[in-house]
Amino acid sequence: MAEKFNEKEAFVLDSIGDVAEVPKLMGTSEDRYDMTRIGKKQELLRNFQFLSVLSFTVVILASWETVLYTVSYGLVNGGLAGLVWMFVVAAVGMATVVLSLAEMASMAPTSGGQYHWVSEFAPPSVQKFLSFLTGWLGTLAWQTGIASGSYLSASQIQGLMLLNAPGYSFERWHGTLLVIAVATVAICLNIFLAKQLPRIEVFMLVLHFIGFFAIIIPLWVMAPRTPAKVVFTEFQNNGGWPNLGLSVLIGLTGPVYSMIASDCVVHMAEEIKDASRILPLGMVWSMVLSAVSGFLMILTFCFSVGDIESAISTPTGQPYIQVFYNATGSRAGTTVMTVVIASMTLCNTVNNVASASRQLYAFARDRGLPFSPVLSYVSICGCNITYVHVVSSSLIRAKVKPGWAIPLNSILVCFIVTCLLSLINIGSTVAFNAIVSLGAAALFSTYAISISCILIKRWRGEPLQPRRWSLGRWGAPVNVAALMFLILFYLFSFWPLFTPTEPTTMNWSVAIYGAVVIFAIFYYHTHGKFVYDGPVVLVKRDI
């Protein structure tokens, strides 16, 4: 077969006569430099660009959707005014976090994300242990995230059943089967449509915004109006806490959930073309879009909520479904509106699987997990890649046949973990909720550790890795603000919604979080430190 090359990019004719573009695998010269610098081999296809990156992040944040199914936090603690103003606090706080993460993503765009940054930026005396712990916390967060997304979808489906069939008898095993069904769909899309995932992401983004208007317009037109004074100035303490201020701060958890997980696309970094530039841009703009749409939805909900008590005590288990029904007076209309949100929750779960599997793959590649060789295996199906000759950093001769390359074993393990977690729901819904809710605290821990490491380097005046997206002189103030917000949320993420607490209302996530941390420390000292060196040992600082 004849080959043709130009000075900037290499092309070859594959066995079926089509021209295959090598940069689809290798990315740009900046991507190749980044992979060489961090000492990693390019194994995944770089087929994500700015729009698909933006779509991926917006869909997984699911801000306006999450606002609706977490309103119970704010309605109990803070009331309508608490919902509105705590969303503003959460948006500002999360903005500082995303800006900090985006800068580090530009420095080291790798699927490892936070644990890699800690390994590279932490003081040498603690970088190995802190990186290992951060990797385990990240794994915990993303694995429970799939179960959480699947459970939310299942809960919405059951809410629709209760709305349309009041005689429906809710059983916990029904929920478990629905969780497994949702996870199965998400896993299959990630395996069989992996090559088309960037296009699917753009389609999901379109649905996301169509759904947004499909929800707010009926509420604007048909719902009763709550006075502005009530929405903006009347705080409530329905959780029984000693004072209103504490109650409002506990209600902060709901709005934060609607903007958490901006690092999702970081774990797709090795599949993004021109990642050191596109990745931070996608993270920042997705935060802007999510904050705006989420704030508009929270205002719409608060002005349309009507009777708060009926929303909180709804038999559907989902206050927003009751608000939809009170507004439209129609089960059919409410069903359509709820199906929109349930569909977007499924889309969120699809992306959750993609991020979780890449994080698992990357951490296993650095030997941070048991059975690392199995988990880090990349399955190449219908794709034959043979490197022929490296001419220069920007010119590579290769044969590339169409297909996909995915961490299949990691994807399947994600499915197994979700199924096992869902079985807990049969025995105890309280235990299952505790497990899926601790993901936020674990994820925030990884944010705090990585941002602390980069802040220490700034304070010590140590040179930072060159980056194409920088906070400049605002870096240290933004990092400090991010850490203050993360610590605040971290403390309140373990609080129960009500007091006095009972075994069924206690937030048991703190116990499970502690158990995972203790196990990670034990595993590190008994095995991990002998096989895990951290990504920093492969980093080339002289290029």
Side-chain angles (χ1 to χ4, degrees):
M1 286 291 178
E3 295 183 354
K4 63 177 182 178
F5 297 89
N6 62 32
E7 293 182 356
K8 293 184 178 179
E9 297 181 356
F11 299 87
V12 301
L13 295 177
D14 67 16
S15 60
I16 59 175
D18 294 329
V19 177
E21 189 177 352
V22 173
K24 191 165 187 177
L25 170 70
M26 300 301 295
T28 65
S29 59
E30 287 81 5
D31 293 324
R32 294 191 284 276
Y33 167 81
D34 288 330
M35 294 300 288
T36 301
R37 190 191 71 81
I38 65 176
K40 294 292 191 291
K41 176 185 175 182
Q42 181 69 49
E43 297 181 293
L44 307 175
L45 299 177
R46 290 189 181 270
N47 53 0
F48 276 76
Q49 300 191 47
F50 176 74
L51 185 56
S52 50
V53 167
L54 179 69
S55 304
F56 187 94
T57 314
V58 168
V59 169
I60 208 168
L61 289 177
S63 59
W64 67 260
E65 298 95 332
T66 309
V67 157
L68 290 173
Y69 49 71
T70 59
V71 291
S72 57
Y73 290 91
L75 291 178
V76 173
N77 290 294
L80 298 182
L83 277 172
V84 172
W85 295 115
M86 285 300 100
F87 186 92
V88 174
V89 171
V92 174
M94 284 305 300
T96 63
V97 174
V98 171
L99 290 172
S100 300
L101 297 178
E103 185 181 43
M104 287 187 286
S106 187
M107 294 179 188
T110 167
S111 297
Q114 293 93 303
Y115 84 84
H116 178 103
W117 301 336
V118 171
S119 179
E120 189 170 347
F121 304 143
S125 60
V126 294
Q127 61 187 191
K128 183 175 177 178
F129 170 71
L130 282 182
S131 173
F132 186 83
L133 180 61
T134 303
W136 270 84
L137 288 171
T139 301
L140 169 67
W142 282 106
Q143 294 304 313
T144 57
I146 302 173
S148 177
S150 301
Y151 182 69
L152 284 173
S153 293
S155 299
Q156 290 157 4
I157 294 170
Q158 288 187 307
L160 285 175
M161 291 178 179
L162 290 166
L163 174 71
N164 291 283
Y168 166 63
S169 178
F170 173 84
E171 299 289 344
R172 286 198 292 265
W173 64 269
H174 296 174
T176 294
L177 290 179
L178 287 171
V179 168
I180 295 174
V182 171
T184 300
V185 173
I187 293 292
C188 288
L189 287 173
N190 270 273
I191 294 175
F192 299 111
L193 294 179
K195 186 179 177 182
Q196 304 301 323
L197 192 57
R199 294 186 179 91
I200 294 172
E201 295 302 331
V202 176
F203 175 71
M204 289 179 181
L205 182 66
V206 173
L207 288 182
H208 174 82
F209 285 110
I210 290 176
F212 174 75
F213 289 106
I215 298 298
I216 65 172
I217 291 176
L219 292 178
W220 286 348
V221 174
M222 305 176 70
R225 287 290 172 268
T226 304
K229 181 180 179 182
V230 175
V231 172
F232 291 109
T233 65
E234 293 190 7
F235 297 86
Q236 294 182 357
N237 177 6
N238 298 316
W241 298 102
N243 60 74
L244 182 60
L246 177 61
S247 178
V248 171
L249 286 174
I250 293 173
L252 175 66
T253 53
V256 170
Y257 283 148
S258 67
M259 284 174 285
I260 199 173
S262 289
D263 66 304
C264 60
V265 76
V266 170
H267 305 299
M268 307 296 291
E270 293 170 31
E271 296 169 68
I272 299 172
K273 190 173 182 179
D274 202 16
S276 60
R277 184 179 67 90
I278 295 299
L279 179 54
L281 287 176
M283 293 173 68
V284 172
W285 279 109
S286 65
M287 179 64 199
V288 172
L289 291 175
S290 297
V292 171
S293 61
F295 187 64
L296 290 175
M297 183 58 74
I298 203 76
L299 285 179
T300 299
F301 178 87
C302 290
F303 276 104
S304 308
V305 67
D307 183 5
I308 295 179
E309 289 300 324
S310 70
I312 294 176
S313 59
T314 175
T316 66
Q318 302 289 336
Y320 75 87
I321 295 180
Q322 189 65 44
V323 171
F324 290 171
Y325 182 69
N326 292 345
T328 63
S330 166
R331 282 191 169 87
T334 301
T335 298
V336 171
M337 295 169 72
T338 305
V339 165
V340 169
I341 297 175
S343 299
M344 292 312 306
T345 308
L346 173 60
C347 294
N348 170 279
T349 306
V350 171
N351 288 3
N352 239 314
V353 170
S355 287
S357 60
R358 272 58 171 188
Q359 192 277 342
L360 192 68
Y361 147 79
F363 196 37
R365 181 177 59 183
D366 285 313
R367 297 179 298 178
L369 294 167
F371 310 108
S372 288
V374 176
L375 293 175
S376 61
Y377 174 74
V378 174
S379 176
I380 301 175
C381 181
C383 181
N384 183 19
I385 305 169
T386 305
Y387 298 106
V388 178
H389 181 56
V390 179
V391 179
S392 69
S393 62
S394 61
L395 183 57
I396 299 174
R397 299 184 179 187
K399 177 179 286 187
V400 182
K401 291 183 181 179
W404 45 254
I406 57 174
L408 180 61
N409 291 347
S410 288
I411 293 175
L412 294 176
V413 167
C414 290
F415 178 65
I416 294 171
V417 170
T418 300
C419 292
L420 292 176
L421 289 177
S422 70
L423 294 177
I424 298 174
N425 186 56
I426 298 177
S428 171
T429 301
V430 174
F432 179 77
N433 285 335
I435 291 173
V436 299
S437 65
L438 64 83
L443 202 57
F444 268 45
S445 299
T446 69
Y447 296 168
I449 295 172
S450 55
I451 294 173
S452 297
C453 292
I454 202 70
L455 182 60
I456 289 173
K457 287 183 74 72
R458 281 194 158 101
W459 277 347
R460 290 180 173 179
E462 299 175 4
L464 300 179
Q465 178 64 30
R467 60 271 191 205
R468 300 166 69 194
W469 194 93
S470 173
L471 292 174
R473 61 191 179 92
W474 292 100
V478 170
N479 293 161
V480 170
L483 281 176
M484 293 174 63
F485 176 76
L486 289 169
I487 292 171
L488 175 67
F489 175 79
Y490 179 83
L491 294 175
F492 285 104
S493 65
F494 295 120
W495 285 58
L497 289 180
F498 304 93
T499 187
T501 57
E502 300 176 356
T504 56
T505 59
M506 177 62 184
N507 187 345
W508 294 102
S509 60
V510 63
I512 301 173
Y513 177 91
V516 171
V517 170
I518 292 171
F519 175 80
I521 294 173
F522 173 79
Y523 182 76
Y524 173 80
H525 285 291
T526 58
H527 179 73
K529 67 180 180 181
F530 302 110
V531 297
Y532 180 80
D533 296 316
V536 70
V537 299
L538 300 176
V539 172
K540 298 177 177 63
R541 303 187 183 276
D542 56 348
I543 64 171

